[in-house]
């Protein structure tokens, strides 16, 4: 089973082959830390977290780097408004980032380089670009000479000639608008050139350099951080589709002009998030932060499931209906994940000693669930397809749990059920889906999820038998326990009040 990936650079799906066999060097363009992370950040971070987990699952050693942009006009503007400093704003929102990502179950990267901590690498790269004729100074600024790099536009499909003429390109790009009165425009040799170094402005933080006091441009940061932490050529460069142009295009131009080597073998981009069909933005009033969503009571695992039900490269629409469906789906998987803790003792399992190994791709007994999961996900990280294997396992475990509650035994042998449960736990872990072990129910805790599902099944059987009095009695009984039922064409969902 060969892993194949859609490469934005080549616009086709290709077999995955790394620079060094068995090892993956992966870089994700992280956040600019001037505000709380939003749903778009949640999607990107979940997607690349699961990509990393899956690569490790199939045997790769992964070195995963994610940067923080901690100097930027937006950060400086916020610092002015708050009568604070750039460093204080950045530190505050980096702390908030880690808090939000921990709630979503995102594994920490191996390293989080910051732009302000990479000044030596940034200046060294600019100096090399200048020596090779790809950069030029201009009144304290330094610009990249775009037309000197013959392959400029190879990632995005944009051509400078088309942008000048106002034509659309492969990514829907439009003509570049230029303000000839802009002092920066007057410094440039070509309107398409972009800043590598910006001269210091009064009152702003600045670093000494051969070109005078100033700070780096946005694009040069990532080129320098990739080179410093991972080398000249990496395996996967990841980010949102909105970064293809100009950010990632400019990274390629900067890095490859100096090294003469590919910056990354594979360029992967996740699709954007919409809210009720509209682009998410503060001006439309539909801007949702991660902490705002989770503080409303939405389960973090439901958010992960919502993200993973869509192919990672496609846009995804956040709606109340979509998150409700994801919550319902998470209840199904969660019940399967808790199966062993709820029924293991009745089935004679020894969960304390751990003598039976958790299944893995190297498990000595052929495992059809692993094979189907891996075959599906190997097709360009098809996580929605992989989820179907999890749902199949979870629903079967739930069914066996209901039988055990009603009949005191199961249709399947305890050993086989244990193997299925451990397989579900393992595959769910690959997707970052984890359920907390619940305490034994008592009069104070109320009904367990399994008991609720059993009563819902009893109610369904009563309705099918047209015993509506019994159906209403069960509904009222659950309502008294603080459980609300919601009937729909797809079945009955429930939530605790």
């Amino acid at each position: 089973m060969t892993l194949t990936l859609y490469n934005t650079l080549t616009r086709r799906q290709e077999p995955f082959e790394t620079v060094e066999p068995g090892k993956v060097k992966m870089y994700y363009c992280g956040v600019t830390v001037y505000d709380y992370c939003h749903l778009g950040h949640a999607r990107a971070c979940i997607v690349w977290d699961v990509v990393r987990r899956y690569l490790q699952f199939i045997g790769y050693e992964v070195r995963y780097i994610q940067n923080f942009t901690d100097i930027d006009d937006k950060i400086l503007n916020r610092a002015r408004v708050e009568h604070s400093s750039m460093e204080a704003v950045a530190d505050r929102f980096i702390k908030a980032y880690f808090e939000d990502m921990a709630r979503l179950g995102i594994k920490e990267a191996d390293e989080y380089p910051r732009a302000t901590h990479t000044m030596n690498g940034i200046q060294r790269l600019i100096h090399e670009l200048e020596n090779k004729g790809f950069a030029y100074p201009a009144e304290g600024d330094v610009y990249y000479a775009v037309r000197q790099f013959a392959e400029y536009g190879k990632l995005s499909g944009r051509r400078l000639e088309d942008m000048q003429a106002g034509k659309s390109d492969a990514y829907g790009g439009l003509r570049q608008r230029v303000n000839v009165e802009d002092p920066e425009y007057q410094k440039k040799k070509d309107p398409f050139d972009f800043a590598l170094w910006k001269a210091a402005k009064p009152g702003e933080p600045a670093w000494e350099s051969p070109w005078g006091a100033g700070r780096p441009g946005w694009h040069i940061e990532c080129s320098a951080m990739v080179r410093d932490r991972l080398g000249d050529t990496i395996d996967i460069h990841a980010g949102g589709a909105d970064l293809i142009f100009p950010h990632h295009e400019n990274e390629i131009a900067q890095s490859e002009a100096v090294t003469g080597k590919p910056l990354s073998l594979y360029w992967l981009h996740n699709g954007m998030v919409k809210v009720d069909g509209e682009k998410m933005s503060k001006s439309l009033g539909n801007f949702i932060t991660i902490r705002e969503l989770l503080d409303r009571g939405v389960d973090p695992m439901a958010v992960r499931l919502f993200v993973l039900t869509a192919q990672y490269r496609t846009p995804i629409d956040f709606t109340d209906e979509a998150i409700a469906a994801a919550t319902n789906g998470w209840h199904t998987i969660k019940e399967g994940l808790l199966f062993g803790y709820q029924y293991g003792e009745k089935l004679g399992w020894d969960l304390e000693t751990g003598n039976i190994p958790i299944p893995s791709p190297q498990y000595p007994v052929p495992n059809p669930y692993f094979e189907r999961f891996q075959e599906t996900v190997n097709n360009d990280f098809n996580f929605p397809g992989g989820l179907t294997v999890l749902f199949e396992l979870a629903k079967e475990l739930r069914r066996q749990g209901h039988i055990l509650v009603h009949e005191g035994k199961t249709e399947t042998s305890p050993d086989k059920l244990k193997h299925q449960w451990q397989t579900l736990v393992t595959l769910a872990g690959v997707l970052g889906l984890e359920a907390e072990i619940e305490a034994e129910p008592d009069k104070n805790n109320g009904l367990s999820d399994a008991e609720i599902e059993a009563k819902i099944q009893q109610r369904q059987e009563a309705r099918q038998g047209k015993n509506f009095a019994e159906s209403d009695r069960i509904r009222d009984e659950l309502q008294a326990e603080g459980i609300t039922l919601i009937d729909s064409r797809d079945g009955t969902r429930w939530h605790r009040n």
Side-chain angles (χ1 to χ4, degrees):
M1 294 180 284
T2 302
L3 174 63
T4 62
L5 307 180
Y6 181 85
N7 191 346
T8 305
L9 181 65
T10 60
R11 296 167 184 78
R12 65 175 181 266
Q13 201 157 315
E14 303 171 338
F16 184 56
E17 297 179 2
T18 57
V19 174
E20 186 177 351
K23 296 184 178 181
V24 175
K25 293 185 288 185
M26 181 175 175
Y27 182 89
Y28 162 52
C29 277
V31 298
T32 300
V33 283
Y34 72 98
D35 205 344
Y36 293 110
C37 290
H38 53 66
L39 286 181
H41 297 130
R43 185 188 193 184
C45 291
I46 288 170
V47 164
W48 306 122
D49 174 65
V50 176
V51 164
R52 175 198 190 184
R53 288 171 184 258
Y54 183 73
L55 291 170
Q56 292 172 329
F57 170 71
I58 60 176
Y60 285 101
E61 178 185 328
V62 182
R63 179 157 173 76
Y64 181 62
I65 305 297
Q66 177 184 331
N67 77 300
F68 287 123
T69 294
D70 61 346
I71 180 166
D72 178 87
D73 288 338
K74 292 178 180 177
I75 301 174
L76 294 171
N77 290 339
R78 182 148 198 161
R80 290 191 193 99
V81 170
E82 296 180 353
H83 304 289
S84 181
S85 68
M86 176 198 74
E87 185 177 14
V89 170
D91 286 346
R92 181 164 107 247
F93 288 111
I94 287 175
K95 180 175 181 291
Y97 169 89
F98 284 118
E99 293 170 349
D100 292 342
M101 296 304 151
R103 293 176 72 181
L104 290 174
I106 305 294
K107 292 173 64 177
E108 289 194 9
D110 293 307
E111 192 175 353
Y112 291 92
R114 296 170 59 159
T116 58
H117 298 173
T118 317
M119 286 299 167
N120 289 339
I122 289 170
Q123 292 189 18
R124 182 171 63 251
L125 187 56
I126 296 173
H127 181 69
E128 290 179 76
L129 285 167
E130 190 177 15
N131 285 344
K132 289 177 177 287
F134 289 93
Y136 58 91
E139 301 175 25
D141 296 338
V142 181
Y143 292 97
Y144 185 94
V146 168
R147 293 185 189 275
Q148 293 298 106
F149 188 68
E151 294 184 289
Y152 191 82
K154 66 180 180 178
L155 179 70
S156 64
R158 295 174 183 244
R159 297 193 309 165
L160 298 178
E161 295 78 9
D162 290 343
M163 287 192 286
Q164 282 182 309
K167 298 177 183 178
S168 295
D169 56 47
Y171 286 86
L174 300 176
R175 178 178 181 176
Q176 174 128 332
R177 292 182 175 86
V178 175
N179 179 8
V180 295
E181 303 298 325
D182 187 342
E184 183 179 7
Y185 168 76
Q186 296 175 359
K187 293 181 185 179
K188 296 180 181 181
K189 294 180 179 179
D190 188 285
F192 292 103
D193 294 348
F194 59 88
L196 300 172
W197 188 261
K198 299 179 180 181
K201 294 180 181 179
E204 289 187 353
W207 287 260
E208 291 301 323
S209 79
W211 314 281
R215 59 184 173 94
W218 176 35
H219 312 297
I220 196 68
E221 298 172 10
C222 286
S223 284
M225 285 187 267
V226 169
R227 192 182 187 194
D228 283 1
R229 269 69 179 188
L230 296 172
D232 291 344
T233 299
I234 65 175
D235 300 296
I236 294 176
H237 196 307
D242 57 325
L243 298 180
I244 295 173
F245 188 89
H247 186 53
H248 289 169
E249 191 74 72
N250 290 351
E251 276 190 64
I252 289 174
Q254 294 163 158
S255 298
E256 296 186 6
V258 166
T259 68
K261 303 173 184 177
L263 172 56
S264 181
L265 300 184
Y266 300 86
W267 289 83
L268 308 184
H269 295 92
N270 63 275
M272 298 296 99
V273 174
K274 295 181 178 181
V275 177
D276 292 322
E278 298 283 348
K279 180 181 178 180
M280 186 175 63
S281 69
K282 290 183 178 179
S283 62
L284 293 175
N286 64 356
F287 185 87
I288 303 173
T289 66
I290 295 171
R291 56 185 50 202
E292 178 186 0
L293 179 65
L294 299 183
D295 288 346
R296 290 180 191 171
V298 176
D299 194 305
M301 294 297 102
V303 178
R304 286 189 82 101
L305 193 61
F306 163 71
V307 168
L308 296 174
T309 52
Q311 206 282 338
Y312 79 92
R313 290 189 288 110
T314 63
I316 190 170
D317 193 8
F318 182 90
T319 65
D320 289 340
E321 293 77 13
I323 201 65
T327 300
N328 192 37
W330 167 238
H331 285 157
T332 298
I333 292 177
K334 180 181 179 181
E335 189 171 355
L337 293 174
L338 295 175
F339 178 90
Y341 303 106
Q342 292 170 337
Y343 304 113
E345 186 175 349
K346 292 181 181 179
L347 293 169
W349 297 358
D350 182 3
L351 298 179
E352 297 298 326
T353 62
N355 289 330
I356 299 178
I358 295 292
S360 70
Q362 293 78 36
Y363 193 69
V365 178
N367 189 323
Y369 296 106
F370 274 128
E371 292 173 359
R372 286 171 47 209
F373 181 83
Q374 190 171 339
E375 183 177 2
T376 300
V377 177
N378 273 355
N379 181 14
D380 193 27
F381 296 127
N382 180 8
F383 299 124
L387 278 170
T388 62
V389 179
L390 272 70
F391 277 113
E392 181 181 328
L393 282 163
K395 288 177 180 178
E396 174 59 16
L397 289 168
R398 179 175 64 181
R399 190 177 76 86
Q400 294 295 331
H402 291 165
I403 294 172
L404 186 61
V405 168
H406 293 299
E407 301 179 14
K409 60 181 181 179
T410 60
E411 297 175 340
T412 306
S413 72
D415 284 347
K416 184 176 181 181
L417 282 176
K418 185 170 187 179
H419 189 253
Q420 289 177 339
W421 174 64
Q422 290 180 317
T423 297
L424 174 63
V425 171
T426 303
L427 295 182
V430 175
L431 302 182
L433 296 169
E434 299 179 353
E436 294 183 3
I437 301 174
E438 299 177 343
E440 286 295 320
D442 56 30
K443 291 182 179 179
N444 294 323
N445 288 336
L447 298 173
S448 70
D449 289 0
E451 289 172 324
I452 294 168
E453 293 289 349
K455 286 186 178 295
I456 290 173
Q457 181 63 29
Q458 293 171 15
R459 176 173 174 266
Q460 180 64 21
E461 292 169 358
R463 295 174 74 188
Q464 291 173 349
K466 301 189 183 300
N467 188 350
F468 298 113
E470 176 66 5
S471 170
D472 291 342
R473 186 195 66 77
I474 295 173
R475 174 188 281 275
D476 293 342
E477 180 184 341
L478 288 171
Q479 186 67 47
E481 292 284 347
I483 308 300
T484 297
L485 303 183
I486 304 172
D487 295 319
S488 69
R489 290 182 299 175
D490 298 325
T492 299
R493 292 186 288 110
W494 61 272
H495 63 82
R496 298 182 190 273
N497 297 332

